[in-house]
Amino acid sequence: MEERKASLGLTRRVHSGRSAEEALKGVDLNRNIEALIENPLSHLTPEQLQRDVRAFARSNRLDEHLELLERAAQIAKDPQYFNSISGVTEIEKQALHDERQRSFRQPRALYLTILICSIGAAVQGWDQTGSNGANLNWPQAFGLNTERTSNDFWILGLVNAAPYIAASLIGCWLSHPLNYYLGRRGVVFFAAWFCFFSVLGSACTQTWVELFICRLLLGIGMGTKAATIPVLAAESSPASIRGSLVMGWQLWVAFGIFLGFTANLVLYQIGDIAWRLQFGSAFIPAVPLIVGIYFCPESPRWYIKKHRYHDAFKSLRRLRNTPLQAARDLYYIHAQVRLEELMLGDGDITSAEGKEQYTSSGRYANRFIQLFTIARIRRATLASFVVMIAQQMCGINVMAFYSSTLFTDANASERSALLVSWGFGLINFAFAWPAVRSIDRFGRRNLLLFTFPHMAWTLLAAGFSFYIPEESPAHLGMITFFVYLFAAFYSPGEGPVPFTYSAEAFPLFHREVGMSLAVSINLFWAAVLTVVYPKLSDALTPTGAIGFFAGLNIIAFLMIFLWVPETKQRTLEELDYIFAVPTRKHMHYQVTKVLPYCFKRYILRRDVELEQLYRFSSNY
């Protein structure tokens, strides 16, 4: 182990000697009682920093960049004093200044990566809604009786749920071994082919069993893609705008949903093959994804995880405006990840005869178990579980999967139902745009806490609108209005946050398996919802079913309030300190500090200040 630590460029003296003790004094990545966010380089003397940078460069074939790395490490140690560090050019100073003042001024390679990730998200959205319009015709084409009292109605739900069953049980869990061998880009390429061939196969099926199998194959692609693309975007993005860029996943999923509804509307009058074209049209966005992913740089953190620092530096040079910023991020990520690895483990450390040993066997199982046994990672698992399950609890996928059926239940014609569903997709996409700025400005947690109560009352209002006499024009009009209003509140909050949050919450060595678990939870309950909702609506009536989801929104609000910490504008490695704060301390703060503050500020209208939970070291 000691040889391994030395080979990583972090000497035992720094981690076990006096400076390390100072750095870690009062900060434990499993139990951060003081809620202190610390820079791991801040307690190093200039001599110690220089010695470690040289060892780092020597052990990772970066000697030719030693002078650049030395300047970069000084900036990583004291980022606010970059103007006083010798050797920093005016161009570099301007670039460092722009990071805070003009944070969206980024290189083309970064935006290309986000664009390709967005196309991958659009594939996901289009795949989700292809069945929405096809549900009106394909069961009859295969001779199924979809009356609610028929057992064939379960077949309809099962076929619709097939992608989510396969994604949650197979696709998501394949992402970890595939990421290990293929990297982030390779996994996206793998998933894109599944999404390409499976939808074309769906369009050519002759029985519901064949359709079911094709949609299972689609789910494998959807699961691996959903567990990987947000991680690729998060690991490539700078901290100041990471939320805005990673939320592109949900923004463009919403766009894909809108495109799917558009295709359903355009194709529904073609005739008997309309449902086949509605399924098959989802191949269109998979083509640019297959081609475009290989023009993107690989995740630098994936290279660092593989100890391929030379490749990581080349990737960061494409993703940052200057080589100095790339070198700074490389060394800072390295310092945080090594601290994270030594304190939390990477799933590869086992004990034998009282000694720690490095092993590659059992890596997947070890890391999965550590999601629940290591305190820092367990808190990330809990928070990710809450935001992911809340997306299914809020009821959005009832609209995405069954909006056409829901509106025909409201006595809309097939054309009207498809048109109203198209409007729902448009609103879902349009109202996601405000989150591009607000997710990093107001934060993930605040967006969720603001939008969930509004989703609850709009759903309740939509449910009660079914009591308006069916012969009245207001019947369909009010249902549509409140469903649209629900979508408008969902899109900037619970829409973009879950995948953004889960992609950033886990430490590097547990990120794939953590994201796999989070996405599988989301998609598994999407599958359950898809199968169960038709029967739930039949048993409770549409009003009762929609009212049930309104109640779940309130429960989700309370879960988020107590168990989901804020992650905005911190590097992925700094989030170790956020999730090191004990859950009990976080809950106590919310109940004893935040609740009284909200009551005094917004009910009593007093000018009061909220005591902050987190403290920052002086060099932040």
Side-chain angles (χ1 to χ4, degrees):
M1 278 297 296
E2 295 305 325
E3 291 79 4
R4 181 166 177 250
K5 294 177 188 177
S7 72
L8 296 174
L10 292 178
T11 65
R12 183 177 181 180
R13 176 190 55 73
V14 172
H15 276 284
S16 302
R18 183 178 59 81
S19 62
E21 291 173 359
E22 287 183 30
L24 299 177
K25 186 177 181 180
V27 178
D28 183 338
L29 294 191
N30 282 310
R31 189 169 175 79
N32 186 5
I33 296 293
E34 300 299 322
L36 177 68
I37 300 176
E38 183 68 277
N39 184 331
L41 305 175
S42 62
H43 293 272
L44 299 181
T45 66
E47 294 76 17
Q48 290 171 331
L49 182 65
Q50 185 180 59
R51 188 156 48 244
D52 279 348
V53 170
R54 289 176 177 175
F56 168 73
R58 184 171 55 255
S59 62
N60 293 292
R61 300 186 296 110
L62 293 169
D63 299 272
E64 61 183 301
H65 305 294
L66 178 59
E67 187 273 334
L68 177 66
L69 283 167
E70 288 178 338
R71 285 189 291 124
Q74 293 179 61
I75 295 173
K77 179 177 181 293
D78 297 302
Q80 69 271 42
Y81 299 120
F82 65 84
N83 279 309
S84 61
I85 295 174
S86 62
V88 181
T89 67
E90 291 301 318
I91 293 176
E92 291 169 337
K93 289 179 181 179
Q94 184 61 47
L96 292 167
H97 179 268
D98 286 344
E99 283 184 328
R100 297 187 178 184
Q101 301 302 319
R102 301 172 180 175
S103 55
F104 282 90
R105 182 175 287 181
Q106 300 294 337
R108 292 180 180 177
L110 176 60
Y111 284 119
L112 172 64
T113 301
I114 300 304
L115 174 63
I116 297 303
C117 289
S118 300
I119 293 173
V123 173
Q124 198 90 351
W126 200 327
D127 287 337
Q128 288 180 15
T129 51
S131 63
N132 189 297
N135 282 339
L136 299 175
N137 300 111
W138 76 258
Q140 290 78 14
F142 291 154
L144 298 182
N145 177 13
T146 55
E147 293 296 327
R148 303 210 174 202
T149 57
S150 169
N151 288 332
D152 286 352
F153 203 69
W154 287 106
I155 295 176
L156 171 63
L158 185 64
V159 171
N160 283 334
Y164 306 98
I165 295 171
S168 62
L169 299 181
I170 302 174
C172 290
W173 300 107
L174 279 177
S175 68
H176 182 277
L178 288 174
N179 269 280
Y180 180 81
Y181 292 106
L182 303 179
R184 315 293 191 228
R185 295 187 311 161
V187 174
V188 175
F189 183 76
F190 168 88
W193 279 110
F194 267 82
C195 294
F196 177 82
F197 284 116
S198 61
V199 294
L200 293 179
S202 297
C204 300
T205 54
Q206 301 301 315
T207 67
W208 73 264
V209 175
E210 293 176 0
L211 180 60
F212 177 71
I213 293 172
C214 286
R215 289 181 63 75
L216 285 175
L217 295 174
L218 171 63
I220 293 174
M222 288 175 61
T224 53
K225 182 157 53 66
T228 301
I229 284 182
V231 171
L232 173 60
E235 292 182 341
S236 301
S237 303
S240 60
I241 57 171
R242 185 179 65 246
S244 298
L245 298 184
V246 180
M247 70 142 291
W249 168 262
Q250 183 58 36
L251 176 66
W252 295 102
V253 165
F255 183 63
I257 289 173
F258 169 68
L259 291 178
F261 281 132
T262 301
N264 291 341
L265 186 62
V266 169
L267 298 171
Y268 90 99
Q269 287 184 317
I270 287 181
D272 293 340
I273 65 168
W275 66 269
R276 296 185 182 276
L277 298 178
Q278 288 167 335
F279 275 129
S281 62
F283 89 93
I284 296 172
V287 175
L289 179 62
I290 291 170
V291 175
I293 189 61
Y294 272 95
F295 292 98
C296 300
E298 181 56 270
S299 163
R301 285 175 169 88
W302 183 82
Y303 282 132
I304 289 174
K305 182 179 178 180
K306 294 289 188 179
H307 308 305
R308 293 167 56 180
Y309 284 89
H310 197 272
D311 291 327
F313 184 51
K314 289 195 295 185
S315 181
L316 278 168
R317 289 186 68 166
R318 293 185 63 190
L319 294 167
R320 300 296 182 262
N321 284 312
T322 65
L324 179 66
Q325 291 168 295
R328 176 206 59 192
D329 287 358
L330 178 73
Y331 192 72
Y332 187 71
I333 294 169
H334 160 78
Q336 286 275 20
V337 166
R338 298 290 75 83
L339 176 62
E340 175 184 292
E341 182 182 10
L342 293 172
M343 294 195 70
L344 300 178
D346 65 358
D348 302 338
I349 307 299
T350 60
S351 296
E353 299 179 355
K355 296 182 179 180
E356 287 186 328
Q357 296 180 350
Y358 178 77
T359 177
S360 60
S361 63
R363 177 183 290 113
Y364 199 175
N366 287 340
R367 289 179 181 168
F368 179 80
I369 292 170
Q370 288 171 351
L371 294 179
F372 308 97
T373 58
I374 296 179
R376 177 264 182 259
I377 307 173
R378 184 170 63 245
R379 296 182 193 111
T381 302
L382 173 62
S384 297
F385 166 80
V386 169
V387 296
M388 283 296 196
I389 196 68
Q391 192 170 67
Q392 302 307 326
M393 293 170 69
C394 76
I396 187 64
N397 282 332
V398 171
M399 309 303 168
F401 302 155
Y402 289 109
S403 61
S404 297
T405 305
L406 181 71
F407 290 121
T408 53
D409 286 344
N411 287 334
S413 65
E414 180 178 340
R415 180 180 182 279
S416 296
L418 290 172
L419 190 60
V420 172
S421 295
W422 178 84
F424 171 82
L426 177 61
I427 287 178
N428 192 24
F429 173 62
F431 279 85
W433 280 100
V436 172
R437 290 283 187 175
S438 60
I439 196 169
D440 283 314
R441 181 178 179 184
F442 296 111
R444 290 78 157 135
R445 173 185 168 85
N446 289 335
L447 285 177
L448 295 178
L449 293 177
F450 172 74
T451 54
F452 263 92
H454 293 292
M455 288 192 288
W457 74 260
T458 51
L459 272 186
L460 199 61
F464 281 120
S465 295
F466 275 88
Y467 287 125
I468 298 174
E470 294 181 359
E471 60 273 10
S472 171
H475 178 77
L476 179 61
M478 294 305 294
I479 294 172
T480 302
F481 172 74
F482 285 116
V483 167
Y484 282 4
L485 202 56
F486 165 79
F489 282 116
Y490 165 84
S491 294
E494 182 59 16
V497 169
F499 283 85
T500 301
Y501 194 97
S502 300
E504 65 192 8
F506 295 95
L508 176 63
F509 290 97
H510 298 77
R511 192 162 292 144
E512 294 101 332
V513 67
M515 188 64 175
S516 296
L517 176 63
V519 175
S520 70
I521 289 169
N522 183 289
L523 297 180
F524 173 77
W525 287 104
V528 172
L529 180 65
T530 306
V531 173
V532 169
Y533 179 76
K535 287 293 184 181
L536 181 69
S537 178
D538 186 48
L540 301 180
T541 73
T543 297
I546 294 175
F548 172 74
F549 284 100
L552 291 182
N553 274 273
I554 300 302
I555 296 174
F557 172 84
L558 296 175
M559 293 164 62
I560 292 163
F561 182 76
L562 293 175
W563 296 328
V564 177
E566 183 55 76
T567 60
K568 69 171 182 175
Q569 296 187 348
R570 303 257 62 89
T571 69
L572 294 177
E573 290 69 37
E574 287 166 357
L575 294 181
D576 287 333
Y577 299 99
I578 299 292
F579 288 104
V581 176
T583 302
R584 184 174 297 179
K585 180 179 179 66
H586 182 269
M587 294 171 64
H588 183 267
Y589 171 79
Q590 303 304 327
V591 173
T592 62
K593 301 295 183 182
V594 175
L595 274 183
Y597 165 80
C598 292
F599 180 78
K600 294 174 183 177
R601 179 70 182 271
Y602 300 110
I603 304 300
L604 302 181
R605 313 299 293 178
R606 294 179 184 174
D607 186 13
V608 292
E609 294 292 331
L610 175 63
E611 177 184 332
Q612 297 300 309
L613 172 60
Y614 303 109
R615 299 186 299 109
F616 299 90
S617 63
S618 59
N619 62 334
Y620 271 92

